[in-house]
mmCIF file of all heavy atoms in Angstrom:
data_model
loop_
_atom_site.group_PDB
_atom_site.id
_atom_site.type_symbol
_atom_site.label_atom_id
_atom_site.label_comp_id
_atom_site.label_asym_id
_atom_site.label_seq_id
_atom_site.Cartn_x
_atom_site.Cartn_y
_atom_site.Cartn_z
ATOM 1 N N THR A 181 -17.122 2.792 -4.632
ATOM 2 C CA THR A 181 -16.286 3.964 -4.319
ATOM 3 C C THR A 181 -17.091 4.759 -3.273
ATOM 4 O O THR A 181 -16.523 5.203 -2.225
ATOM 5 C CB THR A 181 -15.961 4.766 -5.545
ATOM 6 O OG1 THR A 181 -15.392 3.871 -6.549
ATOM 7 C CG2 THR A 181 -14.971 5.890 -5.195
ATOM 8 N N ARG A 182 -18.361 5.081 -3.528
ATOM 9 C CA ARG A 182 -19.146 5.919 -2.711
ATOM 10 C C ARG A 182 -19.311 5.253 -1.239
ATOM 11 O O ARG A 182 -19.229 5.938 -0.283
ATOM 12 C CB ARG A 182 -20.600 6.232 -3.345
ATOM 13 C CG ARG A 182 -21.400 7.126 -2.514
ATOM 14 C CD ARG A 182 -22.674 7.398 -3.294
ATOM 15 N NE ARG A 182 -22.441 8.280 -4.412
ATOM 16 C CZ ARG A 182 -22.784 7.993 -5.681
ATOM 17 N NH1 ARG A 182 -23.229 6.797 -5.938
ATOM 18 N NH2 ARG A 182 -22.595 8.877 -6.592
ATOM 19 N N MET A 184 -17.194 3.053 0.141
ATOM 20 C CA MET A 184 -15.923 2.997 0.757
ATOM 21 C C MET A 184 -15.679 4.348 1.479
ATOM 22 O O MET A 184 -15.198 4.471 2.613
ATOM 23 C CB MET A 184 -14.850 2.792 -0.190
ATOM 24 C CG MET A 184 -14.737 1.233 -0.529
ATOM 25 S SD MET A 184 -13.372 1.003 -1.689
ATOM 26 C CE MET A 184 -13.256 -0.839 -1.668
ATOM 27 N N VAL A 185 -16.032 5.479 0.760
ATOM 28 C CA VAL A 185 -15.890 6.838 1.387
ATOM 29 C C VAL A 185 -16.796 6.920 2.606
ATOM 30 O O VAL A 185 -16.444 7.509 3.624
ATOM 31 C CB VAL A 185 -16.227 7.885 0.340
ATOM 32 C CG1 VAL A 185 -16.202 9.267 1.022
ATOM 33 C CG2 VAL A 185 -15.233 7.867 -0.781
ATOM 34 N N GLY A 186 -18.045 6.387 2.419
ATOM 35 C CA GLY A 186 -19.043 6.587 3.486
ATOM 36 C C GLY A 186 -18.764 5.947 4.836
ATOM 37 O O GLY A 186 -19.267 6.413 5.862
ATOM 38 N N VAL A 187 -17.842 4.871 4.827
ATOM 39 C CA VAL A 187 -17.613 4.236 6.075
ATOM 40 C C VAL A 187 -16.372 4.650 6.811
ATOM 41 O O VAL A 187 -16.032 4.267 7.839
ATOM 42 C CB VAL A 187 -17.510 2.707 5.963
ATOM 43 C CG1 VAL A 187 -18.809 2.156 5.474
ATOM 44 C CG2 VAL A 187 -16.412 2.317 4.968
ATOM 45 N N GLY A 188 -15.717 5.687 6.199
ATOM 46 C CA GLY A 188 -14.431 6.253 6.789
ATOM 47 C C GLY A 188 -14.563 7.685 7.179
ATOM 48 O O GLY A 188 -15.640 8.287 7.012
ATOM 49 N N GLN A 189 -13.461 8.168 7.637
ATOM 50 C CA GLN A 189 -13.471 9.683 7.916
ATOM 51 C C GLN A 189 -13.261 10.338 6.581
ATOM 52 O O GLN A 189 -12.595 9.840 5.645
ATOM 53 C CB GLN A 189 -12.300 9.970 8.845
ATOM 54 C CG GLN A 189 -12.409 9.173 10.167
ATOM 55 C CD GLN A 189 -11.322 9.683 11.179
ATOM 56 O OE1 GLN A 189 -11.373 10.824 11.720
ATOM 57 N NE2 GLN A 189 -10.332 9.000 11.417
ATOM 58 N N ARG A 190 -13.735 11.627 6.583
ATOM 59 C CA ARG A 190 -13.648 12.364 5.327
ATOM 60 C C ARG A 190 -13.144 13.779 5.663
ATOM 61 O O ARG A 190 -13.731 14.415 6.581
ATOM 62 C CB ARG A 190 -14.922 12.446 4.608
ATOM 63 C CG ARG A 190 -14.832 13.119 3.237
ATOM 64 C CD ARG A 190 -16.053 13.024 2.388
ATOM 65 N NE ARG A 190 -15.926 13.582 1.057
ATOM 66 C CZ ARG A 190 -16.891 13.634 0.062
ATOM 67 N NH1 ARG A 190 -17.956 12.894 0.305
ATOM 68 N NH2 ARG A 190 -16.679 14.257 -0.983
ATOM 69 N N LEU A 191 -12.113 14.228 5.013
ATOM 70 C CA LEU A 191 -11.503 15.549 5.343
ATOM 71 C C LEU A 191 -12.160 16.654 4.462
ATOM 72 O O LEU A 191 -12.493 16.369 3.317
ATOM 73 C CB LEU A 191 -10.011 15.552 5.154
ATOM 74 C CG LEU A 191 -9.210 14.509 5.924
ATOM 75 C CD1 LEU A 191 -7.777 14.650 5.589
ATOM 76 C CD2 LEU A 191 -9.463 14.638 7.401
ATOM 77 N N HIS A 192 -12.269 17.815 5.042
ATOM 78 C CA HIS A 192 -12.819 18.875 4.243
ATOM 79 C C HIS A 192 -11.896 20.056 4.477
ATOM 80 O O HIS A 192 -11.442 20.411 5.547
ATOM 81 C CB HIS A 192 -14.201 19.314 4.817
ATOM 82 C CG HIS A 192 -15.233 18.207 4.599
ATOM 83 N ND1 HIS A 192 -15.908 17.987 3.382
ATOM 84 C CD2 HIS A 192 -15.677 17.256 5.510
ATOM 85 C CE1 HIS A 192 -16.743 16.979 3.476
ATOM 86 N NE2 HIS A 192 -16.651 16.534 4.726
ATOM 87 N N TRP A 193 -11.507 20.757 3.346
ATOM 88 C CA TRP A 193 -10.583 21.857 3.341
ATOM 89 C C TRP A 193 -11.395 23.101 2.843
ATOM 90 O O TRP A 193 -12.120 23.027 2.006
ATOM 91 C CB TRP A 193 -9.367 21.568 2.470
ATOM 92 C CG TRP A 193 -8.762 20.279 2.808
ATOM 93 C CD1 TRP A 193 -8.988 19.083 2.156
ATOM 94 C CD2 TRP A 193 -7.847 19.993 3.842
ATOM 95 N NE1 TRP A 193 -8.203 18.081 2.685
ATOM 96 C CE2 TRP A 193 -7.607 18.621 3.812
ATOM 97 C CE3 TRP A 193 -7.217 20.734 4.862
ATOM 98 C CZ2 TRP A 193 -6.698 17.959 4.629
ATOM 99 C CZ3 TRP A 193 -6.396 20.142 5.776
ATOM 100 C CH2 TRP A 193 -6.126 18.763 5.656
ATOM 101 N N VAL A 198 -8.258 21.270 -4.290
ATOM 102 C CA VAL A 198 -7.327 20.456 -3.493
ATOM 103 C C VAL A 198 -6.777 19.415 -4.412
ATOM 104 O O VAL A 198 -7.597 18.588 -4.961
ATOM 105 C CB VAL A 198 -8.005 19.880 -2.226
ATOM 106 C CG1 VAL A 198 -7.006 19.033 -1.468
ATOM 107 C CG2 VAL A 198 -8.539 20.952 -1.401
ATOM 108 N N ASP A 200 -4.094 16.157 -5.803
ATOM 109 C CA ASP A 200 -3.376 14.880 -5.400
ATOM 110 C C ASP A 200 -2.872 14.301 -6.545
ATOM 111 O O ASP A 200 -3.319 14.461 -7.650
ATOM 112 C CB ASP A 200 -4.366 14.017 -4.534
ATOM 113 C CG ASP A 200 -3.677 13.191 -3.529
ATOM 114 O OD1 ASP A 200 -2.423 12.982 -3.706
ATOM 115 O OD2 ASP A 200 -4.290 12.608 -2.632
ATOM 116 N N PRO A 228 -2.881 17.205 0.198
ATOM 117 C CA PRO A 228 -2.844 16.247 1.399
ATOM 118 C C PRO A 228 -2.508 14.881 0.991
ATOM 119 O O PRO A 228 -3.465 14.070 0.735
ATOM 120 C CB PRO A 228 -4.243 16.462 1.926
ATOM 121 C CG PRO A 228 -5.116 16.722 0.654
ATOM 122 C CD PRO A 228 -4.226 17.504 -0.284
ATOM 123 N N THR A 230 -1.781 11.215 1.174
ATOM 124 C CA THR A 230 -1.676 9.992 1.993
ATOM 125 C C THR A 230 -1.157 8.907 1.160
ATOM 126 O O THR A 230 -1.609 8.663 0.086
ATOM 127 C CB THR A 230 -3.068 9.594 2.613
ATOM 128 O OG1 THR A 230 -3.950 9.352 1.486
ATOM 129 C CG2 THR A 230 -3.590 10.708 3.454
ATOM 130 N N LEU A 255 -5.056 12.523 12.341
ATOM 131 C CA LEU A 255 -5.723 13.558 11.618
ATOM 132 C C LEU A 255 -5.441 15.077 12.082
ATOM 133 O O LEU A 255 -5.119 15.903 11.235
ATOM 134 C CB LEU A 255 -7.226 13.317 11.587
ATOM 135 C CG LEU A 255 -7.711 12.297 10.522
ATOM 136 C CD1 LEU A 255 -9.207 12.101 10.695
ATOM 137 C CD2 LEU A 255 -7.402 12.784 9.166
ATOM 138 N N MET A 258 -1.997 15.853 10.852
ATOM 139 C CA MET A 258 -2.010 16.138 9.430
ATOM 140 C C MET A 258 -2.619 17.419 9.045
ATOM 141 O O MET A 258 -2.050 18.130 8.161
ATOM 142 C CB MET A 258 -2.838 14.962 8.766
ATOM 143 C CG MET A 258 -2.957 15.044 7.250
ATOM 144 S SD MET A 258 -3.941 13.630 6.642
ATOM 145 C CE MET A 258 -4.067 14.160 4.929
ATOM 146 N N ARG A 259 -3.682 17.772 9.647
ATOM 147 C CA ARG A 259 -4.289 19.136 9.392
ATOM 148 C C ARG A 259 -3.290 20.277 9.745
ATOM 149 O O ARG A 259 -3.273 21.252 9.030
ATOM 150 C CB ARG A 259 -5.606 19.267 10.264
ATOM 151 C CG ARG A 259 -6.736 18.565 9.732
ATOM 152 C CD ARG A 259 -8.068 18.873 10.555
ATOM 153 N NE ARG A 259 -9.147 18.176 9.899
ATOM 154 C CZ ARG A 259 -9.898 18.583 8.921
ATOM 155 N NH1 ARG A 259 -9.495 19.757 8.322
ATOM 156 N NH2 ARG A 259 -10.914 17.941 8.456
ATOM 157 N N VAL A 275 -4.598 7.391 9.355
ATOM 158 C CA VAL A 275 -5.728 8.318 9.410
ATOM 159 C C VAL A 275 -7.007 7.718 9.023
ATOM 160 O O VAL A 275 -8.071 8.366 9.073
ATOM 161 C CB VAL A 275 -5.437 9.494 8.510
ATOM 162 C CG1 VAL A 275 -4.370 10.481 9.085
ATOM 163 C CG2 VAL A 275 -4.993 9.125 7.123
ATOM 164 N N SER A 276 -7.041 6.387 8.567
ATOM 165 C CA SER A 276 -8.236 5.536 8.363
ATOM 166 C C SER A 276 -9.230 6.351 7.572
ATOM 167 O O SER A 276 -10.392 6.397 7.926
ATOM 168 C CB SER A 276 -8.876 5.257 9.709
ATOM 169 O OG SER A 276 -8.028 4.486 10.492
ATOM 170 N N LEU A 277 -8.757 6.771 6.342
ATOM 171 C CA LEU A 277 -9.730 7.490 5.471
ATOM 172 C C LEU A 277 -10.542 6.571 4.703
ATOM 173 O O LEU A 277 -11.705 6.935 4.324
ATOM 174 C CB LEU A 277 -8.964 8.451 4.528
ATOM 175 C CG LEU A 277 -8.196 9.545 5.057
ATOM 176 C CD1 LEU A 277 -7.453 10.398 4.112
ATOM 177 C CD2 LEU A 277 -9.104 10.437 5.941
ATOM 178 N N SER A 278 -10.181 5.276 4.465
ATOM 179 C CA SER A 278 -10.981 4.373 3.775
ATOM 180 C C SER A 278 -10.619 2.916 4.305
ATOM 181 O O SER A 278 -10.005 2.169 3.648
ATOM 182 C CB SER A 278 -10.598 4.382 2.164
ATOM 183 O OG SER A 278 -11.549 3.523 1.535
ATOM 184 N N PRO A 279 -11.134 2.669 5.535
ATOM 185 C CA PRO A 279 -10.800 1.493 6.225
ATOM 186 C C PRO A 279 -11.180 0.207 5.567
ATOM 187 O O PRO A 279 -10.499 -0.739 5.637
ATOM 188 C CB PRO A 279 -11.495 1.613 7.599
ATOM 189 C CG PRO A 279 -12.610 2.580 7.379
ATOM 190 C CD PRO A 279 -12.051 3.544 6.358
ATOM 191 N N ALA A 301 -12.044 1.929 -7.325
ATOM 192 C CA ALA A 301 -12.700 2.244 -6.099
ATOM 193 C C ALA A 301 -11.629 2.501 -4.965
ATOM 194 O O ALA A 301 -11.805 3.418 -4.184
ATOM 195 C CB ALA A 301 -13.599 1.075 -5.642
ATOM 196 N N SER A 302 -10.615 1.708 -4.976
ATOM 197 C CA SER A 302 -9.531 1.851 -3.967
ATOM 198 C C SER A 302 -8.872 3.221 -4.065
ATOM 199 O O SER A 302 -8.781 4.021 -3.080
ATOM 200 C CB SER A 302 -8.456 0.768 -4.061
ATOM 201 O OG SER A 302 -7.404 0.964 -3.294
ATOM 202 N N VAL A 303 -8.415 3.550 -5.251
ATOM 203 C CA VAL A 303 -7.705 4.866 -5.514
ATOM 204 C C VAL A 303 -8.621 6.065 -5.215
ATOM 205 O O VAL A 303 -8.265 6.948 -4.432
ATOM 206 C CB VAL A 303 -7.169 4.904 -6.964
ATOM 207 C CG1 VAL A 303 -6.611 6.308 -7.179
ATOM 208 C CG2 VAL A 303 -6.129 3.804 -7.128
ATOM 209 N N LEU A 304 -9.772 6.044 -5.869
ATOM 210 C CA LEU A 304 -10.621 7.250 -5.782
ATOM 211 C C LEU A 304 -11.319 7.420 -4.412
ATOM 212 O O LEU A 304 -11.500 8.550 -4.007
ATOM 213 C CB LEU A 304 -11.627 7.254 -6.875
ATOM 214 C CG LEU A 304 -11.088 7.225 -8.264
ATOM 215 C CD1 LEU A 304 -12.216 7.453 -9.406
ATOM 216 C CD2 LEU A 304 -10.036 8.318 -8.511
ATOM 217 N N SER A 305 -11.554 6.317 -3.727
ATOM 218 C CA SER A 305 -12.232 6.492 -2.434
ATOM 219 C C SER A 305 -11.258 7.231 -1.473
ATOM 220 O O SER A 305 -11.702 8.096 -0.673
ATOM 221 C CB SER A 305 -12.594 5.116 -1.744
ATOM 222 O OG SER A 305 -11.467 4.347 -1.545
ATOM 223 N N LYS A 306 -9.964 6.846 -1.574
ATOM 224 C CA LYS A 306 -8.983 7.565 -0.683
ATOM 225 C C LYS A 306 -8.772 9.026 -1.137
ATOM 226 O O LYS A 306 -8.624 9.901 -0.225
ATOM 227 C CB LYS A 306 -7.691 6.811 -0.732
ATOM 228 C CG LYS A 306 -7.622 5.568 0.126
ATOM 229 C CD LYS A 306 -6.301 5.051 0.182
ATOM 230 C CE LYS A 306 -6.113 3.943 1.314
ATOM 231 N NZ LYS A 306 -6.858 2.740 1.123
ATOM 232 N N LYS A 307 -8.875 9.343 -2.344
ATOM 233 C CA LYS A 307 -8.657 10.696 -2.789
ATOM 234 C C LYS A 307 -9.850 11.615 -2.309
ATOM 235 O O LYS A 307 -9.748 12.689 -1.850
ATOM 236 C CB LYS A 307 -8.602 10.790 -4.322
ATOM 237 C CG LYS A 307 -7.321 10.010 -4.796
ATOM 238 C CD LYS A 307 -6.055 10.354 -4.172
ATOM 239 C CE LYS A 307 -4.912 9.354 -4.511
ATOM 240 N NZ LYS A 307 -3.739 9.587 -3.597
ATOM 241 N N ILE A 308 -11.059 11.015 -2.498
ATOM 242 C CA ILE A 308 -12.323 11.708 -2.100
ATOM 243 C C ILE A 308 -12.254 11.984 -0.634
ATOM 244 O O ILE A 308 -12.600 13.057 0.003
ATOM 245 C CB ILE A 308 -13.544 10.999 -2.567
ATOM 246 C CG1 ILE A 308 -13.648 10.972 -4.042
ATOM 247 C CG2 ILE A 308 -14.895 11.661 -1.974
ATOM 248 C CD1 ILE A 308 -14.751 10.006 -4.641
ATOM 249 N N ALA A 309 -11.916 10.892 0.140
ATOM 250 C CA ALA A 309 -11.870 10.960 1.614
ATOM 251 C C ALA A 309 -10.880 11.997 2.037
ATOM 252 O O ALA A 309 -11.086 12.583 3.137
ATOM 253 C CB ALA A 309 -11.607 9.570 2.220
ATOM 254 N N ALA A 310 -9.804 12.116 1.360
ATOM 255 C CA ALA A 310 -8.758 13.116 1.739
ATOM 256 C C ALA A 310 -9.090 14.532 1.425
ATOM 257 O O ALA A 310 -8.393 15.501 1.698
ATOM 258 C CB ALA A 310 -7.428 12.733 1.039
ATOM 259 N N GLY A 311 -10.338 14.683 0.746
ATOM 260 C CA GLY A 311 -10.770 16.027 0.453
ATOM 261 C C GLY A 311 -10.218 16.582 -0.861
ATOM 262 O O GLY A 311 -10.427 17.738 -1.207
ATOM 263 N N SER A 312 -9.734 15.639 -1.756
ATOM 264 C CA SER A 312 -9.176 16.158 -3.051
ATOM 265 C C SER A 312 -10.282 16.406 -4.024
ATOM 266 O O SER A 312 -11.339 15.824 -4.024
ATOM 267 C CB SER A 312 -8.285 15.079 -3.581
ATOM 268 O OG SER A 312 -7.190 14.814 -2.736
ATOM 269 N N THR A 313 -10.026 17.395 -4.931
ATOM 270 C CA THR A 313 -10.896 17.798 -6.037
ATOM 271 C C THR A 313 -10.357 17.546 -7.345
ATOM 272 O O THR A 313 -11.089 17.367 -8.385
ATOM 273 C CB THR A 313 -11.335 19.247 -5.897
ATOM 274 O OG1 THR A 313 -10.095 20.139 -5.963
ATOM 275 C CG2 THR A 313 -11.952 19.574 -4.519
ATOM 276 N N LEU A 347 -18.505 11.231 -9.208
ATOM 277 C CA LEU A 347 -18.280 11.592 -7.815
ATOM 278 C C LEU A 347 -17.729 12.952 -7.524
ATOM 279 O O LEU A 347 -17.306 13.260 -6.377
ATOM 280 C CB LEU A 347 -17.439 10.449 -7.159
ATOM 281 C CG LEU A 347 -18.111 9.076 -7.174
ATOM 282 C CD1 LEU A 347 -17.166 8.026 -6.566
ATOM 283 C CD2 LEU A 347 -19.451 9.068 -6.367
ATOM 284 N N LEU A 349 -14.901 14.420 -8.970
ATOM 285 C CA LEU A 349 -13.486 14.463 -9.059
ATOM 286 C C LEU A 349 -13.037 14.741 -10.475
ATOM 287 O O LEU A 349 -13.428 14.067 -11.455
ATOM 288 C CB LEU A 349 -12.747 13.274 -8.656
ATOM 289 C CG LEU A 349 -12.466 12.929 -7.131
ATOM 290 C CD1 LEU A 349 -11.857 11.571 -6.930
ATOM 291 C CD2 LEU A 349 -11.601 14.008 -6.566
#
Side-chain angles (χ1 to χ4, degrees):
T181 308
R182 184 177 285 119
M184 283 182 170
V185 174
V187 297
Q189 301 188 74
R190 186 170 181 178
L191 304 181
H192 297 277
W193 308 97
V198 178
D200 206 343
T230 61
L255 278 176
M258 180 180 171
R259 283 187 177 278
V275 290
S276 299
L277 293 180
S278 186
S302 173
V303 172
L304 298 190
S305 66
K306 282 189 163 68
K307 301 309 172 191
I308 295 168
S312 300
T313 60
L347 297 173
L349 274 179

